[in-house]
Amino acid sequence: MSVLDDKARSELFNLGKPQRHEPGAVLIRQGDQHCDHVLLLRAVHATSPACAKVTAVLADGTEVLLGIRLSGDLVGEMGTLRERDRSATVTACTPLITFRIAAPVFFAHLDEHPRLWSALATMMAERLESANRRRLEFAAFDVPVRLARVLDELAARHGFTVEDGTHLGVTLSQPELGRLIGAKEAAVNKAVRILKQHGLLLTDYKKMIITDLEALRTFGSMG
């Protein structure tokens, strides 16, 4: 809910009960029938943003990384709105705090503040647009270009400036990046090497720094 001002976001946090989670904790599980609440994410420390990943398992057992959620983001809204089973799993990637808001309380608050309905609709539309764009990219571009484009998107949403360039802002392994762009780990490893050879990327364990954001965007426009 990044479009909300600090006051509106603070009011939402006050609706929920805080609970701390460590990395690896499952916040929402795919298939869960208990869709009676939503969660707001908040960082434990101001200097370290909260980060959670949204994944889904397909019928053939393939796990797909659907997105990344950070401090201030809302999760669990789809199942709660539709009153259906949870469609994805949300897992903490960093220490974080969730604020669990019961569905009746959440919707009553939105009814009292109609502009929040607009914010919710905007958020859901942006997530749908991002998912649709990624589906088109799977068909239109090869793996290095898909990787460049998703790195640019992640940096635009979550990145911050560091000495060597732009830190991605989220911690993702190469297999996780592969699930995000629909590519095997070997193909992602090769794509990372290509971006590094072009002087566009620095890597250290799970940390990624884009050394030249404009050049990365130019590379991502190839296809």
Side-chain angles (χ1 to χ4, degrees):
M1 305 287 275
S2 59
V3 296
L4 300 181
D5 58 34
D6 290 341
K7 181 177 182 295
R9 190 177 295 110
S10 178
E11 289 173 349
L12 277 176
F13 280 125
N14 289 337
L15 298 176
K17 181 179 180 181
Q19 181 178 356
R20 176 168 173 154
H21 304 271
E22 299 303 321
V26 175
L27 312 179
I28 290 175
R29 191 177 301 278
Q30 182 179 358
D32 191 348
Q33 298 178 350
H34 301 289
C35 300
D36 57 355
H37 66 280
V38 297
L39 298 176
L40 270 173
L41 309 184
R42 196 180 76 182
V44 174
H45 305 292
T47 56
S48 178
C51 180
K53 61 182 180 180
V54 184
T55 61
V57 178
L58 305 181
D60 64 359
T62 302
E63 184 184 52
V64 179
L65 180 61
L66 301 177
I68 301 296
R69 304 290 180 256
L70 296 185
S71 307
D73 279 343
L74 180 73
V75 297
E77 75 288 345
M78 287 294 291
T80 303
L81 275 168
R82 299 163 65 215
E83 297 183 343
R84 295 185 181 179
D85 297 355
R86 300 295 189 186
S87 60
T89 296
V90 182
T91 306
C93 298
T94 64
L96 55 80
I97 297 172
T98 61
F99 288 76
R100 179 179 173 132
I101 307 174
V105 174
F106 180 67
F107 293 129
H109 186 75
L110 265 60
D111 288 340
E112 291 173 5
H113 303 81
R115 64 192 179 90
L116 296 182
W117 277 113
S118 176
L120 180 63
T122 298
M123 178 199 75
M124 295 175 68
E126 289 176 347
R127 291 179 179 176
L128 177 60
E129 180 184 28
S130 177
N132 288 339
R133 183 170 60 250
R134 192 156 297 126
R135 290 190 189 99
L136 293 173
E137 289 173 354
F138 289 170
F141 303 114
D142 61 16
V143 173
V145 173
R146 296 207 306 263
L147 179 60
R149 292 172 71 91
V150 80
L151 291 177
D152 180 25
E153 179 182 341
L154 290 170
R157 290 173 178 262
H158 315 302
F160 55 89
T161 302
V162 293
E163 182 178 357
D164 295 322
T166 302
H167 191 289
L168 199 58
V170 294
T171 302
L172 293 173
S173 66
Q174 291 188 20
E176 288 172 329
L177 280 171
R179 291 196 289 273
L180 195 58
I181 64 173
K184 300 290 187 181
E185 184 176 356
V188 175
N189 293 342
K190 182 178 179 181
V192 168
R193 289 197 301 271
I194 290 172
L195 295 183
K196 292 172 71 173
Q197 289 166 3
H198 280 75
L200 305 176
L201 196 63
L202 294 174
T203 62
D204 180 16
Y205 185 48
K206 290 187 178 182
K207 180 174 72 175
M208 286 193 173
I209 295 174
I210 300 168
T211 55
D212 190 333
L213 194 52
E214 288 303 318
L216 182 79
R217 287 171 181 159
T218 299
F219 187 95
S221 67
M222 300 164 56

